[in-house]
Amino acid sequence: MLSLILAFFTPNQNSSSQTSSQSTSLVILFDQAPAIAETAARIGEFKARKYVLVDQDYDSLSKDNGVINSKLVLGRLQYKIGTQFPEWGIIKFNEPFLGIIQGGPKNPNYKNVIDSMITLVRDLKSAYPNTKWTWLGAPALPKIFGKNNDYNWMTASQEDKREILKSVSSAFQPLISELDWVCPSVVSVYDPPTISGLPLLSQTNDENTWREATVRLAKLLAAKKPLIPIVSPWWQSDHIDESSRIIPVANFIENQVQTSIKSGANGIALWSDMNHFIQLATAKKDIKQPIDSNVDALRKDFARDYFGGRNPANWNSDEVRQSLEQHVALTVNIALESIRLWEASSMGVTTPVFPTPGSILGFPQNSSDNNAFEGSKNAPPYCSKIAESAQKALTAIPHRQLQDYNGPLIYIGTNWQSILLRSKDSEVLQNMITQLKSIAQKCYESKSDRYKRPETFVEIPPDMLESSLVDLRPVERRDMWQLANVDTIQTSYLVSSGLSLAIVAKNTKNPNYLAKCIEMLEEVNKYKPLQRPGNTYADPKVPILPGGDGVWLATGWGIDAIVDMLTILGDDVPADLRERLRLQLWEEVQRIVDDWLARRPWFVKSRNAISNQWIVPTIGLIKACLFLGDPSLLPAYNLGTENLASSLATQGADGAGHEGVVYSDMTFADVHQILSSMSLSGDNRCSDTPFARLNWKWFMHMYMPGRMLVNSFDSPRSTLPDWGTNLPMTSLGLASIATSDPDAISTLKFMFPNLKGNYSLAAIKFADVMEATPVLASNKLKSFEYFPSQQQLVWRSAFQPPASEQTAFGLWMRGGDIHDNHTHRDQGQVSIYCGNRVILMECGTCEYGDPLWEPYYTSEPGHSVLQIGALKPHGKPVNAPINVLSLNESGGAVTINCAAGFPSTIQYVRSVEWNRDGLVKIDDNVELKSEVPASTEFFRFHTGSVSQLEISGRDREWEVKWRGVTMKLSADCAIEVSQETMPDKVIAPFNHQTVLIKSLGAAKAMKLLTEIRVDTTLTNSVN
């Protein structure tokens, strides 16, 4: 080492020729650039790759004690970014680490500090083995040195330089030996117009000499590792921490880029962190600023560079922020383009003509100009037709939700290798992985008919036939519907079992598993198209048209399976098959775009964006575009994201799902996963919507005492399944790890402290995040919430983990919203629970083909509401607003205007008042348009009692009793109270007693006060 150090400053006579003859393209990395339409898409053209930054904010205490809490960093990193990382990663913990290391072992803190740094590097490499890790600024050479800091790299003697090089190389060697690549900092520090006392030439030459020494030392220590210094197109002032001015492009290239490459670097990493600077410059007054920030200086810099030297009237306005984002994005793009221009000129290809900040010189004026983008050469010949059709479909949308995205299309799948590696230290994950391997084995042993497509009706496996439609006629209609249905069954199988097999095959390198995966993909490649026509043909009134009925569920699920299996298996998939599958994805993208333009599917004709049938192929379109990555697909991608935004807009800005908890759970698991994929590619337009941020809270509020669910709407599930007591619903888990809300994981840990059960891939993902996130289990939610977008209110005396003893008292109630879907005629429904007891119930939902579905479940007889003159059909949504008079931990009071659901009424208002002591008062006031005859049933209440009720009373006053409950009924006219046994889909034995309230005489109105007293000390479910 000493001999190498002594030879370090031997002049490199061949540096210029080496640079000009290099045959490989420089590695160019960047950290962030706001996604502005005119500029962001160019990043792909520059072949620039994004790196992930792990900075000191992940462990701010390390600034004081010089010790890094590696577990804390990993947990917060997992929470903030997740498990899907790019290829390159940078660790940036500056102070006191680099200063202490620079001082060497003589510093008493050296050993603790470098051990702490090495531990973090090793832990990150273990957790994210597919990412190459480095430490920003290592090695760090001082710019001035000597006893009195009176030397720099131009004025110091050779002996002094040797001593510094020897000391620094020895001090940094242990750290650099652990890194995957080396990233010294060569940013420009001195801004000549703001620093007086030194001639400009002297500053530049001194800094370049230091820069050359830094890079050459780094190359020596790096050995064969990539050497990629960090540079910046902004001055990085030592004196004004929070300010940055643009460096003239020619100076940026000559001083930072050219000096680094000619000194032996393999590439350039761009540093900006400008989103942080923009946030500081445009922050509202009530946002606490960092202690060391100099916002005034920062604003002066921005004003000089971007606003002609004039300060905006309001720095806090959205217009100023957007303007800064556009200018900063342009600066990043100009820096990247200039590096490539210089690289081409250094190889004699061209002479660089550097663009200037503030203009769009060198950038496409039109986002449809895709010829220059990397990847277009691999696109099929019809890619221009896809772009044209997608643009037409976008233009036809009446009210756009989003601005077009023009950034890079990148798909980053779940890093299953890292999850499986981390699972070795987790009993919870180990149990789930064991189940995953069992599923993989079953998939391996499965018959090929699970995924080999039948071409005729007679080839359909018996268990894939829908028995209720085997007699559908004509035969052509039957065959088309059954085959279309099989497509959904088989693609769904591939998404679940096929992906499980692929993960285990990749992890275990089992050749038999891998061969089975390839066999599956070969069969999938024969699915042309993924979804055959016929999904609507069960209805004889739907005509069979030559173009079919369009893309459907198998379209989205098939794309899902292809993309994720290819991502997981990587190069284990033969190149020829991989290319055929990519071509198949192109064909499916074209099919989706064409069907949307032609409005072929029923849900596109009606723009029924709330339907999962709209959402599933939409997600497939987005995912395929991200995976294929070709910029010519940007119009198709924007069509997909616009359709997704339309779906999100149909949901509640308060996070509520407008199809109820079960349908929302089925739909939004995929939605939150694609939102995460979009965010990882740099597109946050949809994930920043209120619904996406708040959806986890709504899902959490759907949990009621007794392991019950709020089962309004079509809800085949009224109680939690066995696995659901120790594991959250899939959409809840994925929404919690996708949201930016830090309370989500804490609350999830509180509700599910002992994860176990379901092996599903989604469960493994959020179990991995929960295990790695270092936050305490703590309920962060109020015990009550009103969701105005859904006109639904929930309240319980306390949140309790489903696996714990159930003692809480709770209730929920429904009004109605005009945007509801899969709804019931349940306006005014009140359901009550106490511990494991159901006091008043909503009867749930049976199978759609069940003859009891309409008369006993979805219409008014299945609910504790008015029974006269309900609106038909039962699924037609109405506006039935809840007026909240009071709502707190002690109870509440509301009124519900239910008249729209019952057009036979002049008015129908239900008032509900309750407290945590178990008292619930329901006050009904109904006036009918026409008189009804005697013995007409006005109201009913569905109790949770299987046993016969004790009914007593006469005339206007009645009392009904069952275990732990007393119900008193007082009317303004003579009534008759009786009971009837009715079916339900809530709790075994799936029948219960219903209280019926009839008028004794003819009546046109009724006022009924129902007072329910619940003994809250009785919490077990014995009826």
Side-chain angles (χ1 to χ4, degrees):
M1 177 62 74
L2 180 58
S3 62
L4 292 172
I5 293 295
L6 294 174
F8 186 82
F9 267 99
T10 302
N12 183 357
Q13 302 295 334
N14 299 318
S15 61
S16 296
S17 62
Q18 285 177 349
T19 302
S20 62
S21 64
Q22 60 187 341
S23 59
T24 58
S25 179
L26 295 175
V27 175
I28 299 182
L29 309 176
F30 72 100
D31 57 347
Q32 56 185 229
I36 302 303
E38 292 85 351
T39 61
R42 290 298 297 275
I43 288 174
E45 182 183 358
F46 308 141
K47 300 180 182 178
R49 287 171 273 182
K50 196 175 189 301
Y51 61 79
V52 65
L53 181 68
V54 180
D55 62 19
Q56 213 148 356
D57 288 341
Y58 288 98
D59 182 10
S60 57
L61 291 179
S62 65
K63 296 177 182 178
D64 301 324
N65 57 27
V67 176
I68 303 169
N69 185 335
S70 181
K71 289 185 177 179
L72 177 66
V73 173
L74 285 174
R76 289 180 172 173
L77 189 63
Q78 176 90 344
Y79 168 72
K80 183 176 181 180
I81 301 178
T83 60
Q84 301 171 335
F85 271 43
E87 182 183 1
W88 302 85
I90 292 180
I91 308 166
K92 182 181 179 288
F93 280 62
N94 289 347
E95 296 302 330
F97 299 94
L98 295 181
I100 290 175
I101 300 303
Q102 199 176 61
K106 64 184 179 182
N107 188 310
N109 296 317
Y110 173 84
K111 186 177 188 309
N112 287 339
V113 166
I114 200 162
D115 286 349
S116 179
M117 296 167 79
I118 289 173
T119 297
L120 178 59
V121 171
R122 289 176 178 174
D123 287 349
L124 283 170
K125 289 171 72 173
S126 174
Y128 305 100
N130 294 328
T131 299
K132 300 181 181 75
W133 290 101
T134 192
W135 200 292
L136 191 151
L141 280 177
K143 291 179 179 174
I144 55 176
F145 44 93
K147 290 183 179 179
N148 300 312
N149 285 335
D150 47 2
Y151 299 123
N152 60 37
W153 286 92
M154 288 189 67
T155 61
S157 67
Q158 289 289 85
E159 185 60 34
D160 287 336
K161 291 175 183 177
R162 289 191 186 100
E163 286 302 313
I164 290 295
L165 290 165
K166 180 180 177 181
S167 171
V168 171
S169 64
S170 175
F172 277 92
Q173 180 66 49
L175 174 64
I176 291 177
S177 66
E178 299 283 342
L179 303 176
D180 297 314
W181 57 292
V182 182
C183 183
S185 173
V186 295
V187 298
S188 293
V189 172
Y190 301 118
D191 182 357
T194 64
I195 305 294
S196 59
L198 285 175
L200 174 59
L201 183 61
S202 172
Q203 296 177 47
T204 303
N205 288 343
D206 172 47
E207 201 165 54
N208 279 344
T209 307
W210 159 81
R211 197 172 278 124
E212 180 183 357
T214 297
V215 175
R216 293 181 66 192
L217 176 61
K219 184 173 181 63
L220 179 71
L221 296 175
K224 296 183 179 180
K225 297 176 182 178
L227 169 57
I228 307 174
I230 202 89
V231 302
S232 177
W234 288 273
W235 300 104
Q236 305 293 310
S237 174
D238 280 344
H239 305 286
I240 306 174
D241 291 340
E242 303 294 348
S243 68
S244 290
R245 288 204 64 193
I246 297 175
I247 300 172
V249 177
N251 290 353
F252 162 70
I253 292 294
E254 180 181 358
N255 295 332
Q256 297 183 57
V257 177
Q258 180 174 283
T259 300
S260 297
I261 300 303
K262 289 191 173 184
S263 298
N266 308 111
I268 295 295
L270 199 69
W271 171 264
S272 64
D273 197 27
M274 293 308 293
N275 286 341
H276 171 62
F277 289 124
I278 292 171
Q279 184 179 7
L280 288 176
T282 61
K284 308 290 184 184
K285 291 183 179 180
D286 59 347
I287 295 180
K288 185 178 180 182
Q289 300 290 348
I291 296 174
D292 295 328
S293 68
N294 191 328
V295 177
D296 288 338
L298 177 60
R299 287 176 172 176
K300 287 177 183 177
D301 287 349
F302 279 152
R304 280 194 298 263
D305 286 331
Y306 299 132
F307 299 129
R310 293 176 296 176
N311 279 304
N314 179 11
W315 279 97
N316 307 132
S317 70
D318 291 338
E319 290 76 15
V320 170
R321 177 182 55 78
Q322 292 166 3
S323 178
L324 284 173
E325 287 177 344
Q326 186 164 5
H327 283 302
V328 164
L330 183 63
T331 304
V332 170
N333 276 258
I334 286 172
L336 295 172
E337 181 178 27
S338 299
I339 294 169
R340 287 299 184 207
L341 286 170
W342 174 83
E343 179 186 21
S345 70
S346 71
M347 293 188 289
V349 177
T350 184
T351 300
V353 179
F354 298 126
T356 56
S359 73
I360 55 172
L361 180 62
F363 292 85
Q365 302 294 315
N366 190 316
S367 62
S368 65
D369 178 14
N370 293 304
N371 294 328
F373 286 101
E374 176 188 12
S376 294
K377 60 183 180 295
N378 297 320
Y382 50 79
C383 63
S384 59
K385 181 180 183 299
I386 294 175
E388 180 183 350
S389 297
Q391 201 59 55
K392 288 180 179 178
L394 280 167
T395 304
I397 296 173
H399 302 290
R400 293 282 302 274
Q401 302 282 333
L402 304 173
Q403 295 291 323
D404 279 349
Y405 172 77
N406 285 284
L409 298 175
I410 304 167
Y411 181 69
I412 302 175
T414 301
N415 191 335
W416 287 105
Q417 293 293 92
S418 295
I419 292 177
L420 293 172
L421 189 65
R422 287 190 294 274
S423 71
K424 295 177 181 178
D425 299 322
S426 167
E427 183 180 352
V428 170
L429 284 171
Q430 276 292 298
N431 291 335
M432 289 185 177
I433 299 300
T434 298
Q435 294 180 63
L436 177 66
K437 291 178 178 178
S438 174
I439 295 297
Q441 178 64 25
K442 290 179 181 177
C443 182
Y444 169 68
E445 295 170 353
S446 66
K447 295 180 180 179
S448 62
D449 65 2
R450 299 300 89 187
Y451 50 86
K452 186 174 183 179
R453 169 171 281 188
E455 298 297 335
T456 64
F457 176 81
V458 296
E459 295 175 356
I460 298 175
D463 63 334
M464 293 185 187
L465 279 172
E466 176 54 55
S467 58
S468 64
L469 292 173
V470 292
D471 295 326
L472 184 65
R473 292 295 182 272
V475 168
E476 177 192 14
R477 183 178 289 274
R478 177 202 67 184
D479 291 358
M480 294 182 75
W481 189 92
Q482 294 282 4
L483 289 170
N485 188 54
V486 167
D487 293 346
T488 66
I489 294 171
Q490 292 186 323
T491 51
S492 177
Y493 175 80
L494 290 167
V495 169
S496 56
S497 298
L499 293 189
S500 300
L501 181 63
I503 292 166
V504 177
K506 187 71 173 179
N507 181 249
T508 61
K509 305 187 186 307
N510 184 318
N512 295 326
Y513 284 7
L514 179 59
K516 183 80 168 184
C517 289
I518 302 305
E519 179 186 329
M520 286 179 166
L521 288 173
E522 285 286 4
E523 290 300 326
V524 174
N525 193 227
K526 299 174 185 176
Y527 295 3
K528 303 290 181 71
L530 289 171
Q531 176 68 68
R532 288 174 287 191
N535 72 85
T536 60
Y537 295 167
D539 184 351
K541 297 189 294 294
V542 175
I544 299 176
L545 300 176
D549 48 3
V551 294
W552 199 46
L553 301 177
T555 307
W557 294 338
I559 290 173
D560 212 20
I562 293 171
V563 169
D564 283 337
M565 289 185 76
L566 286 177
T567 302
I568 291 164
L569 296 172
D571 293 339
D572 288 331
V573 178
D576 172 65
L577 174 57
R578 190 175 184 88
E579 285 308 307
R580 283 187 280 120
L581 288 165
R582 287 179 65 86
L583 182 60
Q584 185 177 10
L585 291 174
W586 276 97
E587 293 167 353
E588 289 298 329
V589 167
Q590 181 179 25
R591 188 168 288 109
I592 297 170
V593 168
D594 287 348
D595 279 359
W596 238 270
L597 179 61
R599 301 178 67 209
R600 191 166 287 117
W602 73 266
F603 43 84
V604 180
K605 279 191 184 74
S606 59
R607 282 201 65 78
N608 194 339
I610 196 173
S611 170
N612 67 317
Q613 298 175 55
W614 167 293
I615 293 172
V616 171
T618 287
I619 290 173
L621 176 59
I622 296 170
K623 195 165 187 174
C625 290
L626 288 174
F627 180 78
L628 292 169
D630 195 290
S632 67
L633 289 171
L634 278 169
Y637 175 78
N638 282 318
L639 175 62
T641 55
E642 182 66 32
N643 290 339
L644 180 61
S646 296
S647 295
L648 297 179
T650 65
Q651 309 300 325
D654 49 15
H658 280 205
E659 292 189 309
V661 66
V662 173
Y663 269 87
S664 294
D665 187 37
M666 289 189 290
T667 300
F668 290 112
D670 292 336
V671 168
H672 288 295
Q673 293 196 87
I674 199 64
L675 290 176
S676 294
S677 296
M678 291 166 60
S679 295
L680 286 170
S681 74
D683 183 2
N684 294 309
R685 293 171 301 158
C686 290
S687 59
D688 283 343
T689 58
F691 171 79
R693 293 197 306 269
L694 298 174
N695 186 224
W696 76 271
K697 291 186 176 182
W698 177 80
F699 269 115
M700 200 71 80
H701 273 292
M702 296 301 99
Y703 286 78
M704 295 303 293
R707 306 179 185 92
M708 306 300 294
L709 292 170
V710 175
N711 61 338
S712 52
F713 300 83
D714 282 349
S715 183
R717 185 190 303 156
S718 297
T719 61
L720 289 175
D722 290 341
W723 61 261
T725 60
N726 289 292
L727 205 66
M729 286 181 283
T730 301
S731 286
L732 168 59
L734 293 173
S736 297
I737 63 177
T739 183
S740 58
D741 191 336
D743 292 342
I745 299 298
S746 294
T747 307
L748 207 62
K749 284 189 172 185
F750 168 81
M751 288 291 283
F752 303 95
N754 300 302
L755 294 177
K756 60 182 178 181
N758 195 347
Y759 87 97
S760 75
L761 300 181
I764 294 172
K765 281 197 277 192
F766 52 72
D768 178 56
V769 173
M770 288 172 68
E771 289 263 306
T773 305
V775 295
L776 296 176
S778 175
N779 176 38
K780 302 293 185 178
L781 294 181
K782 297 178 294 186
S783 60
F784 53 88
E785 194 61 76
Y786 164 55
F787 296 97
S789 75
Q790 193 179 41
Q791 294 303 320
Q792 186 159 270
L793 183 147
V794 290
W795 181 95
R796 76 277 293 159
S797 57
F799 266 111
Q800 293 176 324
S804 69
E805 183 182 2
Q806 300 293 289
T807 60
F809 176 63
L811 55 81
W812 62 265
M813 61 194 69
R814 268 276 290 161
D817 184 83
I818 199 67
H819 298 104
D820 291 339
N821 199 34
H822 282 286
T823 189
H824 292 183
R825 190 58 59 227
D826 61 352
Q827 288 70 53
Q829 171 68 29
V830 179
S831 294
I832 307 173
Y833 312 91
C834 181
N836 290 310
R837 300 165 59 208
V838 177
I839 308 302
L840 290 185
M841 72 163 63
E842 140 83 59
C843 293
T845 304
C846 62
E847 294 291 331
Y848 287 152
D850 193 318
L852 299 181
W853 182 61
E854 170 68 30
Y856 284 99
Y857 289 100
T858 59
S859 56
E860 68 279 9
H863 303 88
S864 302
V865 297
L866 182 68
Q867 300 295 301
I868 299 173
L871 181 66
K872 306 293 183 186
H874 67 270
K876 184 175 182 179
V878 298
N879 184 35
I882 297 177
N883 181 24
V884 180
L885 305 176
S886 65
L887 185 61
N888 53 48
E889 293 178 352
S890 300
V894 305
T895 62
I896 310 173
N897 187 344
C898 308
F902 300 85
S904 60
T905 64
I906 296 172
Q907 71 163 350
Y908 171 23
V909 176
R910 169 167 279 185
S911 301
V912 187
E913 183 179 347
W914 71 96
N915 63 37
R916 64 185 302 114
D917 295 327
L919 176 63
V920 181
K921 294 181 180 179
I922 301 174
D923 193 351
D924 287 301
N925 188 346
V926 61
E927 182 179 358
L928 304 174
K929 293 177 180 177
S930 302
E931 187 177 77
V932 294
S935 299
T936 297
E937 182 185 356
F938 265 71
F939 296 100
R940 65 174 49 187
F941 291 101
H942 293 270
T943 77
S945 176
V946 174
S947 303
Q948 288 286 302
L949 310 173
E950 298 178 18
I951 301 177
S952 60
R954 57 187 299 275
D955 200 14
R956 301 183 180 190
E957 301 290 334
W958 292 77
E959 186 175 83
V960 182
K961 289 186 176 182
W962 65 100
R963 181 175 175 268
V965 182
T966 299
M967 172 188 283
K968 292 186 177 181
L969 301 125
S970 302
D972 66 344
C973 61
I975 59 175
E976 178 185 11
V977 177
S978 61
Q979 61 184 303
E980 178 181 328
T981 302
M982 288 197 64
D984 65 74
K985 294 295 180 181
V986 179
I987 51 175
F990 304 111
N991 59 70
H992 62 280
Q993 298 303 313
T994 305
V995 179
L996 312 180
I997 298 100
K998 300 178 181 178
S999 62
L1000 275 180
K1004 192 181 177 184
M1006 181 181 291
K1007 292 182 180 180
L1008 177 69
L1009 174 61
T1010 305
E1011 183 178 288
I1012 304 168
R1013 292 187 178 273
V1014 180
D1015 183 350
T1016 57
T1017 65
L1018 295 177
T1019 57
N1020 61 17
S1021 59
V1022 176
N1023 285 291

